[in-house]
Amino acid sequence: MAGIVNYVKESFEELKNNVSWPSWAEAQSLTVLVAVFSIIFSLAIWGVDTVFSKVVSYYFELIN
């Protein structure tokens, strides 16, 4: 159990001293960028899914 506690302490020390964190403005702009691309990607997936759904529905209408 002492090994786990030591690992957690060392991890927090590393995060505090060795990680370079972005500025607040940079973090906000990157967050907006990720949100915009996530929305664009989800709309693209929705479009492809809709097209495939219509193609499959049309195919099953043909074979009936």
Side-chain angles (χ1 to χ4, degrees):
M1 189 68 175
I4 294 174
V5 172
N6 191 31
Y7 174 76
V8 170
K9 284 181 184 179
E10 289 176 2
S11 296
F12 277 114
E13 279 297 315
E14 176 130 7
L15 285 172
K16 196 166 57 171
N17 297 324
N18 298 337
V19 175
S20 60
W21 296 98
S23 67
W24 181 246
E26 186 180 9
Q28 285 178 327
S29 66
L30 290 174
T31 301
V32 169
L33 185 70
V34 168
V36 167
F37 277 105
S38 295
I39 291 169
I40 291 170
F41 187 70
S42 66
L43 289 174
I45 296 295
W46 172 76
V48 170
D49 183 55
T50 302
V51 169
F52 282 153
S53 174
K54 300 236 185 245
V55 168
V56 169
S57 295
Y58 180 70
Y59 172 75
F60 280 118
E61 285 178 16
L62 284 177
I63 64 172
N64 263 342

